[in-house]
Amino acid sequence: MAREVRIGCVQTRPLATFREATEEALRLAREAVAAGAQLVCLPEYCGGLKSEGGLFAPPSAPEDRHPVLAALRGFAGEAGVWMLVGSVAVDGPDDRLVNRGFVIDDRGRVRARYDKVHLFDVDLSPTLRYRESAVVAPGGDAVVVDTPWGRLGMTICYDLRFPQLYRALAQAGAEILVVPAAFTRVTGEAHWHVLNRARAIENGAVVVAPCAVGEVPGGGAAYGHSLIVSPWGEVLADGGSGVGFLVETVDVGRVAEARGRIPSLEHDRPFRVPAAPAERPRAAA
């Protein structure tokens, strides 16, 4: 049975302040709704992002007083659309932040919230290092939420590299998997498309991946190329490398078709895991 939804991915820039981030997000969200979007999806750190001394330094506030979240909730209620607020920085424990995403319904109510589980601690080169865990506290819960078009599983950015999370969401009934991101330009060029397609194929799910684009104030750059991927792994829409939005009609009914053809979600079997070696074997001299 067809269950069509017009999905809009809004491709904002990383911006240093709440005011700048709100203005750009609302402007592009309005344009996406005018183009027919029923579910508007924003990137990771759509509430603002900058870096200081090589560390993430997004503007943050308590959830109940967060100005960007309040503005987006108001917009969703006024426009009568559902929204994925990819993430905003919320004040968290131990003087750290929480990288938190939200699903907002068409009356402006928070239907679900998700705290990013996997934090971006990587060394891309001797001079390009990221330590998200230095300023962000990790979440610990996988989250699914019902929408008018199907069950939606929430993830954020670096989670994309952990397929076990997506399988758990799919086996909990998620038909739409969202991956809001501020993927770096370096890793995006190498891995963004193939990883999103893989998560769609492995789980027979629609993948919606709105990604920020452009230079990060203070250093770094986001890749863009927001994606909508079918349950068969086809790229249905690609936002390219500029600020803007895309709107694509997606039939969530294709999820059941894909899972019926390859029912791998039903075929997991237990297996014994080999022990990790105490040390790496040395090659003969």
Side-chain angles (χ1 to χ4, degrees), residues 62-126:
E63 180 183 321
D64 61 355
R65 299 194 301 276
H66 201 291
V68 181
L69 178 62
L72 294 173
R73 289 183 63 185
F75 173 79
E78 292 165 10
V81 296
W82 284 62
M83 294 192 77
L84 169 72
V85 179
S87 79
V88 298
V90 174
D91 293 349
D94 305 321
D95 295 321
R96 289 193 289 176
L97 312 174
V98 175
N99 189 352
R100 181 170 293 167
F102 299 86
V103 171
I104 310 299
D105 71 13
D106 54 0
R107 294 175 60 184
R109 300 174 297 188
V110 173
R111 287 297 190 99
R113 51 180 56 79
Y114 167 72
D115 295 346
K116 185 178 182 181
V117 169
H118 301 100
L119 301 183
F120 192 56
D121 290 356
V122 302
D123 298 321
L124 298 180
S125 75

Side-chain angles (χ1 to χ4, degrees), residues 109-193:
R109 300 174 297 188
V110 173
R111 287 297 190 99
R113 51 180 56 79
Y114 167 72
D115 295 346
K116 185 178 182 181
V117 169
H118 301 100
L119 301 183
F120 192 56
D121 290 356
V122 302
D123 298 321
L124 298 180
S125 75
T127 58
L128 190 57
R129 304 172 70 245
Y130 294 89
R131 291 293 181 271
E132 189 176 18
S133 65
V135 294
V136 176
D141 295 312
V143 175
V144 295
V145 57
D146 291 317
T147 76
W149 309 282
R151 197 160 230 212
L152 182 150
M154 301 178 71
T155 72
I156 297 174
C157 199
Y158 191 50
D159 285 331
L160 185 61
R161 296 182 183 274
F162 298 86
Q164 63 272 27
L165 173 60
Y166 294 83
R167 193 159 193 85
L169 293 169
Q171 290 180 329
E175 299 167 284
I176 303 168
L177 300 171
V178 295
V179 193
F183 232 67
T184 72
R185 190 174 291 160
V186 171
T187 56
E189 289 173 349
H191 302 148
W192 176 247
H193 287 76

